[in-house]
Amino acid sequence: MSEIRKLANYIDGQLCPPQGRRWLDVFEPASGQRFAECPDSDVGDIGVAVQAAQRAFPAWSATPIAQRAQFLNRIADLLEARLEEFAQAESRDSGKPVALARRLDIPRALSNLRFFAAAATQFSSEAHATDGAINYTLRQPLGTVACISPWNLPLYLFTWKIAPALATGNTVVAKPSEITPLTAAMFAQVCMDAGLPPGVLNIVHGSGQRTGQALIGHSGIRAISFTGSTRTGAAIAAVAAPRFVKLSLEMGGKNPTVVFADWEANEANWATLLRSAFSNQGQICLCGSRLLVQRSIYENFKAAFVEKVRALRVGDPQDPASDLGALVSQAHFDKVMGHIALAREEGGTILCGGDAVRLEGRCAGGWFVAPTVIEGLGADCRTNQEEIFGPVATLIPFDGEDEAVALANATNYGLAASIWTSNLKRAHRVAARLESGIVWINCWLKRDLRTPFGGVKQSGVGREGGVDALRFFTEAKNVCIDLE
Ligand code: NDP
């Protein structure tokens, strides 16, 4: 039995235990074994972290932009030197295949840091020539901000928030998900090695109920950038809104993948469709979990899709041959299995999967679920309305373009959609009619960090990415000079 690793908070440039000496167990999803403990920090730890961030703010916000960018680039360089170690840690902590962490999660964390380091140096603001006066806009950092991130893409989403916040001159108190705290805890050491001044970034671990709640309720916090479930987003908004704290909420999705009869069914496109449904065990907010397929190709599509899903390998995340690893936790495994049971109760037909996968050896206690495809359910049943956030996709036939749009829009969510067609005019028409923050045409998860990222309806409020993130983390001040 290997030793239990004890993770620390990172406050005021130091690694420190939680004041209350309370710890939370951290499990390896692939084995179901406890392998670490992370702080369950409380209002006292948050208080110290916010104070440290507030002390650091005057000097950090006055640091030239180029120098702030240099810090972020140095952190990225040091992280890159430890890429394999971080990929292994991310896989162990979250259950995702190590190959995915190596290819996606950690490289994207590097890109986030480098992108926002560069973007901040290119950030400009407006000037408005008025009759007899000139106005210009000053964009100034907010102060100390909170960044709260989920467990599905732990370091990827953690850096997606802290990088623009720091680059624009804010100081940060960040709370990663306590379910996957490992890479954020390791990131603290990288910041120390890079010489980041104390208090500029503080990482406080713990549960949402205790630590998260203390953070969002702290009067010293000027803005909250949150990614997570719609339920938690609503709870955060209820605390923050009456205090008029600036809020960015990136929340859940129930994304449609709309396949028209004239889609190009080549191997590359099939591979992308499969990834869009099952990448990271379906635990990506952008995953297409409802496949709307034109009726004239429905039966053929179904047969081919199910055959390809059956061929996906669920296995040890360490094994390069595994397409899918484990779900993140026992609780999430139970939730996903509960949704599959519900789909059966609602009258759905399980075309493949539908069960837990029991592996041998070190993964015998892991939380694995077979990729599951379900048909025969109406658009308004719970299975097609609620975010399952697991390796579960439904198939729904449609006849024409209007019906496709109506079905695609028939949920309370509106994060992402993909449209598959060879008809250029139809692609543009449908893209414009979808209630969705992001639409991919004949592709999925093709990302350019300059583009606005976020959802509509219950998927989010505000946009991240590019200039939107820089604007969120700054306050616009109009200065008017009389010329007469
Ligand atoms: P949660 O909403 O449960 O948690 C997100 C973060 O918020 C965690 O750090 C959590 O801590 C914390 N938290 C929970 N309760 C509170 C509270 N009352 N106050 C402050 N913080 C709190 O989401 P999950 O971690 O389960 O992540 C999965 C969800 O994230 C899915 O719904 C998914 O769609 C969404 N998501 C959205 C994305 C987007 O860009 N729109 C991208 C990725 C995921 P703790 O872990 O302790 O509960």
Side-chain angles (χ1 to χ4, degrees), residues 148-152 157 175-179 206-209 212-213 216 226-232 235-236 250-253 285 387 389 415 453 459:
I148 303 179
S149 46
W151 47 258
N152 62 330
L157 288 173
K175 193 203 89 64
S177 171
E178 102 277 1
I179 300 167
S207 67
Q209 285 313 319
Q213 205 66 34
I216 61 168
F226 166 79
T227 297
S229 65
T230 298
R231 184 184 38 78
T232 306
I236 290 176
E250 297 292 342
M251 304 181 291
C285 53
E387 185 184 45
F389 217 57
L415 184 56
F453 180 93
S459 287

Side-chain angles (χ1 to χ4, degrees), residues 318-332:
Q318 291 286 325
D319 183 347
S322 299
D323 297 304
L324 279 78
L327 299 196
V328 75
S329 66
Q330 174 78 60
H332 193 56

Side-chain angles (χ1 to χ4, degrees), residues 111-459:
S111 304
N112 289 339
L113 293 160
R114 290 178 176 143
F115 172 81
F116 283 112
T121 66
Q122 306 299 311
F123 191 31
S124 58
S125 59
E126 310 80 22
H128 298 87
T130 312
D131 289 342
I134 187 153
N135 291 275
Y136 65 89
T137 309
L138 271 183
R139 290 208 167 262
Q140 296 172 305
L142 304 170
T144 294
V145 300
C147 296
I148 303 179
S149 46
W151 47 258
N152 62 330
L153 300 165
L155 196 67
Y156 172 139
L157 288 173
F158 176 83
T159 49
W160 177 240
K161 293 185 177 301
I162 63 153
L166 295 174
T168 45
N170 302 282
T171 54
V172 174
V173 179
K175 193 203 89 64
S177 171
E178 102 277 1
I179 300 167
T180 54
L182 187 53
T183 48
M186 291 162 62
F187 189 82
Q189 187 60 52
V190 173
C191 293
M192 291 162 78
D193 295 346
L196 190 71
V200 168
L201 172 65
N202 305 274
I203 304 172
V204 187
H205 297 277
S207 67
Q209 285 313 319
R210 189 190 303 276
T211 318
Q213 205 66 34
L215 178 56
I216 61 168
H218 196 291
S219 60
I221 294 296
R222 294 278 167 264
I224 301 169
S225 175
F226 166 79
T227 297
S229 65
T230 298
R231 184 184 38 78
T232 306
I236 290 176
V239 174
R243 295 182 23 240
F244 308 108
V245 171
K246 216 175 171 185
L247 261 185
S248 170
L249 303 173
E250 297 292 342
M251 304 181 291
K254 189 74 181 173
N255 310 307
T257 300
V258 187
V259 185
F260 286 95
D262 62 1
W263 83 296
E264 209 180 319
N266 58 34
E267 279 312 306
N269 285 346
W270 272 117
T272 306
L273 270 194
L274 281 182
R275 275 197 306 117
S276 77
F278 298 112
S279 270
N280 202 36
Q281 299 74 247
Q283 301 167 132
I284 298 183
C285 53
L286 306 165
C287 276
S289 53
R290 293 182 300 141
L291 281 87
L292 314 179
V293 181
Q294 198 153 17
R295 202 179 301 276
S296 58
I297 61 162
Y298 183 83
E299 289 302 328
N300 287 342
F301 179 95
K302 177 173 90 179
F305 185 65
V306 167
E307 187 189 325
K308 287 172 197 299
V309 174
R310 281 211 180 99
L312 292 173
R313 283 153 305 189
V314 178
D316 188 340
Q318 291 286 325
D319 183 347
S322 299
D323 297 304
L324 279 78
L327 299 196
V328 75
S329 66
Q330 174 78 60
H332 193 56
F333 170 89
D334 293 342
K335 179 189 150 184
V336 171
M337 292 309 293
H339 271 285
I340 294 173
L342 173 69
R344 285 195 173 98
E345 274 167 39
E346 289 186 315
T349 304
I350 310 285
L351 299 173
C352 65
D355 296 308
V357 176
R358 298 282 164 224
L359 300 178
E360 310 267 293
R362 84 169 201 100
C363 293
W367 302 308
F368 297 88
V369 173
T372 300
V373 181
I374 303 169
E375 73 164 355
L377 290 171
D380 53 358
C381 68
R382 283 182 57 197
T383 302
N384 278 323
Q385 288 293 321
E386 296 176 11
E387 185 184 45
I388 300 174
F389 217 57
V392 181
T394 57
L395 295 180
I396 305 172
F398 68 85
D399 285 307
E401 201 173 300
D402 286 344
E403 193 187 2
V405 170
L407 289 170
N409 289 341
T411 75
N412 290 329
Y413 293 107
L415 184 56
S418 70
I419 302 169
W420 297 82
T421 177
S422 301
N423 181 329
L424 191 62
K425 288 183 182 173
R426 173 191 285 146
H428 288 297
R429 267 196 317 265
V430 174
R433 294 175 69 193
L434 293 183
E435 295 167 354
S436 181
I438 301 153
V439 178
W440 281 292
I441 296 173
N442 298 326
C443 61
W444 177 75
L445 202 51
K446 212 164 221 173
R447 290 281 290 119
D448 177 330
L449 304 189
R450 294 170 301 176
T451 59
F453 180 93
V456 300
K457 302 197 285 190
Q458 291 190 13
S459 287

Side-chain angles (χ1 to χ4, degrees), residues 90-106:
E90 201 71 297
S91 167
R92 183 171 195 200
D93 206 13
S94 67
K96 69 180 68 201
V98 69
L100 184 67
R102 198 184 281 134
R103 189 177 69 241
L104 177 73
D105 292 74
I106 312 305

